[in-house]
Amino acid sequence: MITISIMLATIIQALDGTIANVALPHMQGSLSASQDQITWVLTSFIVAAAIATPLNGWLVDRFGLKKVFLVSVAGFTLASVLCGISATLTEIVIARMLQGVFGAALVPLSQSVLLDINPREKHGSAMAVWGMGVMIGPILGPTLGGWLTDSYSWRWVFFINVPIGALAFWGIWRYIHAADPARRVRFDTFGFVTLSIAIGALQMLLDRGEQNDWFASTETWVELILTTLAFSYFIGHTLTRPAGQSFVDFRLLKNANYVTGLLLIFIVGMVLFATRALMPTMLQGLMGYPAKLAGLVTAPSGLGTMAAMMIVGRLTGKVDFRLLLGVGFAITAFSLWQMTHYTLVLSQSDIVWPGVIQGVGLGLVFVPLSAATFATLSPQMRAEGTALYSLVRNIGSSIGIALVQALLVRNTQIAHASLATQVTAANPAVRDPTSLYDMATQAGPALINNEITRQASMIAYVDDYWLMMLLTMAVIPMLLLIRPPKASAAPAQVDHAALE
């Protein structure tokens, strides 16, 4: 019952990261907002969640896990209601910020609880359950959001959280018993403020960079300077504080497995979310797929992920972490290699099967990586450790999406210019009077330009898939840095009475 309750909380948070995307055009008309303004519905949620995530460790230490969990679920559910009843853009942006603040704790706390209530030998199965909850949001979000918006109203994208949130709140209140907070440390205000400014400015830069034409915009430069200065002050301040008194406990970074896990989950976040961001735009923009069909052909990748998680959950602890991770990364790289052979002429099976294979690979990576990262971390540091783990994964996904989108635009322009040089009056292909592309006709030049743009865009998509494949392959040697826990080491003692 604890597992069901906390996974319901995880699902609604993971779902809200993507479910609102497809409803934006409907919100724009209903709230009388411009294209630039309506994107704040997404940006406000992402930035608020990023700023609030590092706060989770201190809150749990100060108030206890159960109180923080209950307040987070209740606040997130109430904020969802406020989003659904919003009548103006300002109201929904504020409500989305509240969603981000309260929802930031749900994913890391659910991971922490699952690690606490299960003995070490079952951590693999626990992380498989947690991974499926985290993954179901990005998989179901666009499809469910589109169905709710078309069948009812965009407001139901948020109202759907209310019954799920109520069940999660009741389960957590009923089955998780309050325990005394671990320690009541003094709050590091300066550390929190500087880290919040750094993370918030970085997320703003990544989320709005493409829209602002990157460094051609003054806003981007301001965000970059704020990120650099704030993070520099944070690092300097933290390094001069006594151990355990800084906002982020740097003792976490003395654990080699944990640090390696952070780096690997950063790459996984980049590859997973960047690929998922590329595929729908490629299918709808270049191949004319309607939104529902694009969702149907990409959904099987999620099924591959969940199937792999269920299998690998039983293998974790019996098979070396590094072997499972190596196989997972290799399968993921193979699926991306298949995507590098994409053309403008693809069958649906050409899209479905590489997606399924990639889903299997990521499922094989996600579960043992989570287990390996926390295998040697003390239970007292899990709340803060899981918060930082989630933060790094989210930043990785933001950077990955921003990177592939920027490269997509740049490489499309480069490929377009290169292809256009081949279209001259001397080329017999454009002097055929029986062809639609005859330069002598009125429509010919426009049709040729459209086709060149499509081909250039496809080349740019393939370049992005090459980059993702090379990144995936580059991390495989890093698996040697992971050290499995000693078999003789006794599992950390956990106060099961406090959680059951």
Side-chain angles (χ1 to χ4, degrees):
M1 292 306 297
I2 293 175
T3 301
I4 292 173
S5 302
I6 63 177
M7 291 319 301
L8 287 174
T10 301
I11 288 169
I12 59 173
Q13 199 281 340
L15 201 61
D16 262 52
T18 56
I19 195 172
N21 296 29
V22 293
L24 283 185
H26 299 266
M27 294 183 200
Q28 185 178 346
S30 176
L31 301 174
S32 302
S34 66
Q35 179 68 38
D36 179 61
Q37 291 172 330
I38 201 64
T39 57
W40 282 101
V41 173
L42 303 179
T43 303
S44 57
F45 178 84
I46 294 170
V47 173
I51 291 173
T53 298
L55 195 57
N56 295 332
W58 182 86
L59 288 173
V60 170
D61 286 345
R62 178 66 177 82
F63 300 104
L65 185 144
K66 182 175 180 177
K67 288 181 181 178
V68 175
F69 222 150
L70 287 174
V71 170
S72 297
V73 172
F76 187 87
T77 306
L78 178 59
S80 298
V81 174
L82 295 177
C83 287
I85 63 175
S86 296
T88 65
L89 179 68
T90 302
E91 290 177 2
I92 196 169
V93 168
I94 293 173
R96 284 286 281 175
M97 289 178 66
L98 290 174
Q99 261 195 326
V101 169
F102 286 108
L106 299 181
V107 171
L109 287 188
S110 66
Q111 185 182 21
S112 180
V113 169
L114 281 175
L115 288 170
D116 285 346
I117 66 175
N118 288 279
R120 180 176 292 171
E121 60 270 18
K122 292 188 177 180
H123 278 185
S125 299
M127 289 302 94
V129 173
W130 176 77
M132 284 188 281
V134 171
M135 294 299 301
I136 201 172
I139 294 166
L140 292 182
T143 305
L144 181 60
W147 177 75
L148 288 171
T149 302
D150 292 340
S151 303
Y152 301 98
S153 161
W154 65 263
R155 299 182 185 278
W156 281 96
V157 166
F158 302 106
F159 290 148
I160 189 88
N161 292 333
V162 176
I164 303 175
L167 284 173
F169 183 91
W170 178 82
I172 293 167
W173 172 77
R174 171 67 178 81
Y175 293 102
I176 297 181
H177 296 171
D180 292 332
R183 51 193 168 101
R184 297 177 178 272
V185 296
R186 184 178 177 183
F187 187 68
D188 181 11
T189 305
F190 186 82
F192 171 67
V193 170
T194 51
L195 183 61
S196 297
I197 293 173
I199 292 173
L202 176 62
Q203 286 286 359
M204 289 280 290
L205 187 155
L206 295 171
D207 194 56
R208 293 176 53 80
E210 182 186 3
Q211 182 180 331
N212 293 333
D213 196 20
W214 294 104
F215 294 100
S217 166
T218 303
E219 179 186 327
T220 303
W221 281 104
V222 170
E223 289 160 355
L224 177 63
I225 292 170
L226 277 176
T227 300
T228 305
L229 287 177
F231 193 66
S232 298
Y233 274 112
F234 170 74
I235 293 293
H237 169 76
T238 303
L239 291 177
T240 57
R241 298 275 292 183
Q245 294 187 23
S246 56
F247 181 68
V248 173
D249 194 338
F250 263 49
R251 290 177 296 181
L252 285 167
L253 304 184
K254 294 180 180 179
N255 186 301
N257 270 19
Y258 183 75
V259 173
T260 306
L262 290 182
L263 187 55
L264 293 177
I265 196 63
F266 178 84
I267 301 296
V268 169
M270 287 183 66
V271 173
L272 170 63
F273 289 96
T275 307
R276 292 194 184 280
L278 286 173
M279 193 62 69
T281 58
M282 186 188 80
L283 295 177
Q284 295 176 63
L286 290 184
M287 300 179 185
Y289 277 50
K292 289 184 178 179
L293 182 57
L296 287 175
V297 296
T298 55
S301 66
L303 298 177
T305 301
M306 289 190 284
M309 284 180 175
M310 287 188 287
I311 295 171
V312 79
R314 297 181 177 273
L315 296 177
T316 303
K318 301 175 183 177
V319 180
D320 194 314
F321 287 137
R322 293 165 293 187
L323 178 60
L324 293 173
L325 288 168
V327 171
F329 278 120
I331 292 175
T332 303
F334 174 70
S335 69
L336 290 165
W337 176 78
Q338 290 180 302
M339 294 177 190
T340 63
H341 293 78
Y342 277 173
T343 68
L344 288 170
V345 182
L346 290 174
S347 67
Q348 292 183 12
S349 64
D350 293 331
I351 300 163
V352 170
W353 286 111
V356 171
I357 294 170
Q358 185 192 41
V360 170
L362 289 170
L364 290 174
V365 167
F366 210 86
V367 175
L369 180 56
S370 299
T373 303
F374 297 95
T376 57
L377 200 66
S378 66
Q380 293 75 19
M381 304 186 80
R382 278 182 188 153
E384 189 168 350
T386 52
L388 188 57
Y389 188 77
S390 293
L391 176 64
V392 170
R393 177 171 56 85
N394 291 336
I395 291 177
S397 66
S398 297
I399 291 176
I401 293 170
L403 178 63
V404 296
Q405 294 292 356
L407 289 176
L408 183 66
V409 173
R410 178 178 176 274
N411 290 341
T412 298
Q413 294 171 345
I414 293 172
H416 189 283
S418 177
L419 292 172
T421 59
Q422 308 301 316
V423 182
T424 65
N427 191 328
V430 297
R431 290 188 289 109
D432 183 359
T434 64
S435 170
L436 292 173
Y437 300 108
D438 184 7
M439 292 284 284
T441 64
Q442 185 175 2
L447 289 173
I448 289 176
N449 184 66
N450 288 340
E451 184 59 28
I452 290 174
T453 301
R454 290 179 71 238
Q455 297 288 347
S457 296
M458 191 70 248
I459 292 171
Y461 277 108
V462 168
D463 288 343
D464 276 349
Y465 293 131
W466 274 110
L467 174 62
M468 294 296 103
M469 186 194 78
L470 294 174
L471 276 175
T472 303
M473 294 176 64
V475 301
I476 293 178
M478 295 175 55
L479 300 179
L480 298 175
L481 298 175
I482 295 178
R483 293 290 179 265
K486 295 179 180 178
S488 60
Q493 296 300 311
V494 178
D495 186 2
H496 292 279
L499 290 161
E500 298 171 357

